[in-house]
Amino acid sequence: NSKLWFYRGICERVIDGDTIVFTVDLGFDIYLKSQKMRFAGINTPESRTRNKAEKELGLKAKERVKELLPAGEKFIFHSLGFGKFGRTLGIPFYENKSICQILIDEGHADPTQEESEAPGSRNPLALIGQLKPLLVLDKKKMFHMEQVGFTLR
């Protein structure tokens, strides 16, 4: 499938460094609440494990995602469909940059193709650094990337 699907989301909570619970804004005042999103193309250390070293790294990744997507934060994400566990596979954006790429760049995540094997999904590793959303949410205003001064209400 060559179509790119971007949606608006509102973060409800962070589960770990590569999974969140969020509300999907489908437009026309239609929302899907309490959806789980697995960040596509990355893997972070587990925060719920008996391995203390891995747990410490996992909690750091989780805290970084909480900084980028605190509860109530609006964001744009690119949907890659659903993964093998029924979660949305997506690439969320923060200030016009892929959160997946931010986590990789900061050493909180490793690139992976783990959940990208869902039927019809595309290789997220090829997309992470290339995708840019059409609109970026900045609290109550929306800006078109090519015309930063253009405000939609």
Side-chain angles (χ1 to χ4, degrees), residues 138-153:
D138 180 14
K139 300 294 178 193
K140 296 179 182 175
K141 297 180 182 176
M142 296 176 67
F143 300 99
H144 190 279
M145 287 178 39
E146 303 300 323
Q147 302 170 329
V148 177
F150 182 71
T151 303
L152 299 176
R153 293 181 190 259

Side-chain angles (χ1 to χ4, degrees), residues 37-87:
M37 179 192 300
R38 171 74 157 83
F39 296 172
I42 66 167
N43 191 35
T44 60
E46 295 300 323
S47 58
R48 292 171 282 170
T49 180
R50 291 183 182 179
N51 181 321
K52 291 184 184 206
E54 182 178 12
K55 182 174 189 162
E56 183 178 336
L57 293 172
L59 290 172
K60 285 181 182 179
K62 179 179 179 176
E63 286 306 310
R64 182 61 176 134
V65 174
K66 282 184 176 181
E67 290 172 8
L68 297 169
L69 288 177
E73 184 72 18
K74 295 179 181 179
F75 63 98
I76 297 283
F77 70 97
H78 170 65
S79 175
L80 295 169
F82 295 95
K84 60 186 175 185
F85 298 113
R87 299 176 288 191

Side-chain angles (χ1 to χ4, degrees), residues 3-7 37 77-82 88-91:
K3 293 183 180 180
L4 298 180
W5 297 101
F6 287 95
Y7 296 94
M37 179 192 300
F77 70 97
H78 170 65
S79 175
L80 295 169
F82 295 95
T88 297
L89 284 177
I91 301 172

Side-chain angles (χ1 to χ4, degrees), residues 12 15 24 26 34-35 43 46 59-60 79 92 99:
E12 294 178 23
I15 294 176
V24 182
L26 298 173
S34 300
Q35 303 298 302
N43 191 35
E46 295 300 323
L59 290 172
K60 285 181 182 179
S79 175
I99 289 177

